[in-house]
Amino acid sequence: MNHPKDMNMTKLHTVCPHNCPDTCGLTVGVRQGVVQHVTGQASHPVTKGVICEKVRHYPKKIYSEKRLKKPLKRIGEKGEGKFAEISWSQAIAEISTELLNVKKRYGGRSILPYSYSGTIGVIQNASMDRRFFNRLNSAMIERTICSAAGNAAFLYTMGAQVGLDPEDTVHSSLIIIWGANTLLTNIHQWLLIEEARKKGAKVIVIDVERTETAKKADQYIQVSPGTDGVLALGLIHVLFEQELVNQTFIRRHTIGVDHLKEEALAYTPEYVEEMTGVKAEVLKQLAIKYAAHKASFIRIGNGQQHHTNGGMNTRAILCLPALTGAWQHRGGGAIFFNLSQGRVNSKALEQPDLRTEKAKLINMNSLGEALVARKDPVKALFVYNSNPASVNQDQMTVLEGLKRKDIFTVVHEQTMTETAMYADYVLPATTAMEHLDLYKSYWHRYWQIGKPVIKPLGEAVCNTELFRRLADACGFKEECFLEDDDSLIRQAIIDKPKHWQEDLLAGKTVKWPLEDVDDVEPWTAGDYLTPSGKIEFYSEQMKQHGLPPVPSINKLMKRGEDEWWLLSSPHRRGLNSQFLSSFYDEGEEEPLAVIHPKTAGKCKIVEHDTVSLFNRNGSIEVKVKVDDRVAESVIMIRGVWPHKAFGGKNTNALTTNKLSDFGGGATYFTTLVKISKKQ
């Protein structure tokens, strides 16, 4: 018998749109056009009915009082938050006129579109928007804020941004989780790991914090921030010294092993202990244990690559499965971001041929510098799918740039974010429950169509519709601006097998085409996309780019006696800057700076004290939690919190504008701060 609450309830399927590797299939309960609850889709081969706490709260996000429902025009000063409601016709007319005026006066390169992964849906993330800005000949943002250093390391080493099929990790015999709190950030990977454990697999976590994941591991190894590459090279040193490398795999599939061996000579267990805090004996035992397991698997997280040496950290770790030949065994190898298994027809979606001038490139991690620059300045900023005022490093410079009166700013958003407060126009955006999209994971190999389950709230429109309207108002006559989202989805997959396309369009969850398996797992055929055609311990390409050709950690930033590393790891309710905002506003949670008991004693700080964290870039105030789960050298704050939680800015007020050693990645974790108790 149906429960009364289930009467008149329709269950519909869609997809989680957030920047998470799991890309879950969702089952949504809808009654009279209103979302009642969200659960995991039981039939999805990876989701299997399980979703995280963040997404279970999705109705709260959809129907928040903060949702923007009408276009707004600024009537106060930038940052003051004073806006007036206007019609869509007025907003589109005025925005298009201003964009064309800016282009006429300063050139298209003075217009900067800024977006990232407010949705990872293919169509709403990167299709009609790219066409529009290509047609304007605008500047282009290099989207490097998340995984750029690690992805570059994979390209240099493996020739592709790809690892093993995560479903094969049930066959792994030894699993190392390196720089990731998998229980919070990749829950279905943890479920697969648990399956492997039932068969006898052991789990080791390497991290700076004894996280929820570390507590469930068979062994936890705490490493000092930014020294992951040193630890990996120490493991490589022991593998060579103990003759634990797989000479057959190395000879067939790699190049430059002698160069790597020579580099690793300096990374003795004693030196590694001094630099990383990992005991020499622990290092030796780990190397021996790793080599003893043929199907050893390393789940590489983001933690080790958000440093100034983040690329080399990842590259050094990535050498390990090639040295032992783990790649050739089912369940062996490594995963970082499986991007190569999710190629779409981006040329068809983005129409780069609309561009008639070479684009000016701006690294998104350097947004602050770009906004305050007087030479070749940004004169118009168009933000969507992101909240740079909150998430960008070097926050104080970003805010300085957003305050400039001579930069015309438009923000397309679901709520009044910190960035939207500085906009001239704020336009209401749909959630994933209100629009159509195509989804692919950067971890598992399944593709899905996410259909709208409710009508858009108020006058909210999706990204593609916004840019169709703007293109029309700007007088762009190309037919590509008339195409609807169904057509865009078909263009994205037009080069895939016909039967695969049909199944996907029919609403089925489909796996990456088997015809492309050699591209996904090059080690099975021994045909890599590197210049040499092999896994490259030594990279001539890196040498030509002015980089060390073999993994090496030449410079490690050192902290002063009264300095601590400030790290900001994912929150169980976090993921993006909007999730935690509602919990803070309702008084359910607040940010806490976790410090080690010895740090507390040294600074005469006790639990719940309010402290100031500061450096030359800025300062914030935050309450303290004393816990030995963090290293003595670390201050940990979980989550991207709203500015008001810290008195007007967040942890990124303390970060710098430095980029990673290669890839142009963010360096959030190379941040040193001092701490003082607020009197």
Side-chain angles (χ1 to χ4, degrees), residues 100-122:
L100 292 175
N101 286 341
V102 169
K103 180 183 178 183
K104 182 177 180 180
R105 187 172 180 183
Y106 302 102
R109 61 190 286 116
S110 68
I111 301 171
L112 177 63
Y114 184 105
S115 69
Y116 199 62
S117 59
T119 175
I120 57 169
V122 171

Side-chain angles (χ1 to χ4, degrees), residues 114-326:
Y114 184 105
S115 69
Y116 199 62
S117 59
T119 175
I120 57 169
V122 171
I123 306 305
Q124 303 302 337
N125 180 275
S127 61
M128 196 62 69
D129 59 310
R130 304 296 206 271
R131 295 179 181 186
F132 178 75
F133 289 113
N134 279 332
R135 180 65 170 76
L136 275 178
N137 284 313
S138 74
M140 292 180 67
I141 200 81
E142 295 179 296
R143 294 172 172 86
T144 53
I145 202 168
C146 181
S147 58
N151 286 332
F154 261 71
L155 284 174
Y156 279 131
T157 309
M158 304 291 292
Q161 297 158 328
V162 64
L164 79 163
D165 183 341
E167 290 182 282
D168 279 348
T169 59
V170 298
H171 303 291
S172 304
S173 57
L174 178 70
I175 297 158
I176 298 177
I177 300 173
W178 200 319
N181 190 359
T182 308
L183 271 170
L184 266 62
T185 61
N186 191 187
I187 188 173
H188 295 90
Q189 175 70 84
W190 181 256
L191 296 179
L192 293 167
I193 288 171
E194 288 285 26
E195 288 297 312
R197 294 181 97 173
K198 291 176 183 177
K199 300 176 183 179
K202 299 299 181 183
V203 177
I204 299 170
V205 169
I206 300 173
D207 211 323
V208 299
E209 178 189 8
R210 191 174 68 253
T211 62
E212 294 87 342
T213 307
K215 290 175 183 177
K216 288 185 175 291
D218 297 292
Q219 183 181 6
Y220 167 55
I221 298 173
Q222 190 170 75
V223 61
S224 297
T227 65
D228 305 83
V230 174
L231 180 59
L233 283 161
L235 292 170
I236 292 169
H237 175 101
V238 176
L239 290 175
F240 281 122
E241 185 179 65
Q242 300 289 328
E243 298 183 352
L244 298 174
V245 298
N246 187 319
Q247 295 291 357
T248 301
F249 186 88
I250 289 170
R251 184 173 60 256
R252 290 178 178 174
H253 293 281
T254 75
I255 188 171
V257 67
D258 291 337
H259 294 281
L260 179 62
K261 184 176 182 179
E262 183 179 355
E263 178 65 30
L265 284 173
Y267 295 82
T268 64
E270 294 72 27
Y271 171 74
V272 171
E273 179 176 339
E274 178 187 352
M275 302 306 293
T276 69
V278 177
K279 297 293 184 182
E281 190 57 34
V282 172
L283 173 73
K284 294 175 186 177
Q285 291 173 359
L286 177 60
I288 293 169
K289 190 182 298 184
Y290 179 71
H293 289 265
K294 292 181 178 179
S296 57
F297 164 59
I298 305 177
R299 179 59 170 111
I300 305 174
N302 259 347
Q304 85 297 327
Q305 60 100 51
H306 276 159
H307 291 274
T308 50
N309 59 348
M312 280 300 182
N313 282 342
T314 310
R315 183 155 147 72
I317 295 168
L318 190 54
C319 289
L320 292 167
L323 285 172
T324 63

Side-chain angles (χ1 to χ4, degrees), residues 539-552:
S539 169
E540 184 64 33
Q541 190 178 39
M542 292 188 75
K543 184 178 180 180
Q544 292 172 2
H545 293 168
L547 299 166
V550 295
S552 60

Side-chain angles (χ1 to χ4, degrees), residues 482-623:
L482 301 176
E483 293 167 347
D484 62 18
D485 292 352
D486 280 304
S487 176
L488 292 172
I489 289 174
R490 292 176 184 277
Q491 290 177 50
I493 61 174
I494 196 169
D495 55 350
K496 302 295 181 289
K498 189 70 175 176
H499 66 89
W500 186 92
Q501 292 184 49
E502 291 172 350
D503 286 345
L504 178 64
L505 294 170
K508 295 180 181 179
T509 297
V510 297
K511 198 167 187 178
W512 179 257
L514 291 177
E515 291 88 319
D516 292 333
V517 72
D518 289 345
D519 293 337
V520 177
E521 296 179 344
W523 49 88
T524 60
D527 185 17
Y528 302 85
L529 298 179
T530 55
S532 66
K534 296 185 175 183
I535 298 173
E536 297 195 349
F537 297 135
Y538 180 97
S539 169
E540 184 64 33
Q541 190 178 39
M542 292 188 75
K543 184 178 180 180
Q544 292 172 2
H545 293 168
L547 299 166
V550 295
S552 60
I553 309 295
N554 296 323
K555 293 181 181 179
L556 281 175
M557 190 171 167
K558 295 185 178 180
R559 69 184 185 96
E561 188 176 343
D562 61 344
E563 292 181 313
W564 283 263
W565 298 108
L566 176 65
L567 305 181
S568 182
S569 65
H571 192 282
R572 75 185 192 285
R573 286 176 158 181
L575 196 63
N576 66 30
S577 63
Q578 289 186 13
F579 275 108
L580 287 179
S581 181
S582 62
F583 291 112
Y584 176 77
D585 288 343
E586 294 172 11
E588 290 188 36
E589 293 228 22
E590 63 179 341
L592 295 171
V594 181
I595 65 174
H596 193 276
K598 289 185 178 179
T599 302
K602 180 178 180 180
C603 299
K604 295 181 172 57
I605 295 168
V606 298
E607 188 101 355
H608 304 308
D609 273 349
T610 297
V611 299
S612 174
L613 304 180
F614 60 96
N615 57 23
R616 66 177 62 184
N617 303 312
S619 66
I620 61 172
E621 291 185 357
V622 61
K623 286 185 180 179

